[in-house]
Amino acid sequence: KVANDATNLYFFAQTSEDITGKHEQNWMNLLIDADRNSNTGWLGYDFRIEEGNKLLEYSNGIWKKVSEIDLQTNKDKIMYTIPLQLLKLSEYPNLEFKWSDNMQDETDPLDWYINGDVAPGGRFNFIYTIEK
């Protein structure tokens, strides 16, 4: 689920089992295509939440730290709060996103078909749009 107010985006996921391995690499990554342009960022994703899942990173070919963000977990639930300004978005976002857990080969998007869990499946994305 995703929602926003005038200042933040809120991403929420509920897993089938309790969340474990919170500080492992590739754990519950959230990938965001903030400009909806598949030619920018890493495989079209401009931002990701990585590194213990409190670090928002930006990609222009290489991932760079933007800021730490708020993370809340409780058993099988996880929620990120991301200020809209960090994603260069207004209170009317138009973005795509994907959850990825345990991807092993960052250089190959086909890895989403082989390792871990991803939502939505494969190279598909969820779309979140708020119109004025």
Side-chain angles (χ1 to χ4, degrees), residues 22-107:
K22 294 178 189 174
H23 301 291
E24 296 175 13
Q25 185 176 0
N26 301 323
W27 173 84
M28 288 298 287
N29 292 324
L30 177 62
L31 300 161
I32 302 168
D33 181 358
D35 62 9
R36 297 200 62 194
N37 181 345
S38 62
N39 295 316
T40 60
W42 174 79
L43 301 174
Y45 300 103
D46 308 296
F47 296 91
R48 74 176 176 186
I49 298 177
E50 175 64 49
E51 198 174 295
N53 296 94
K54 292 183 104 175
L55 184 62
L56 178 69
E57 295 179 319
Y58 171 77
S59 176
N60 60 358
I62 297 173
W63 290 109
K64 296 178 182 176
K65 179 181 176 177
V66 174
S67 178
E68 287 197 12
I69 53 101
D70 183 59
L71 161 68
Q72 296 179 33
T73 59
N74 185 359
K75 297 183 182 180
D76 63 345
K77 297 171 184 68
I78 185 169
M79 187 175 84
Y80 297 124
T81 301
I82 308 171
L84 288 165
Q85 67 179 9
L86 292 180
L87 301 175
K88 302 173 188 168
L89 295 171
S90 73
E91 63 187 283
Y92 303 101
N94 179 15
L95 58 89
E96 297 182 31
F97 68 98
K98 168 187 281 318
W99 291 96
S100 175
D101 185 34
N102 202 31
M103 184 179 193
Q104 298 299 302
D105 183 358
E106 259 190 25
T107 64

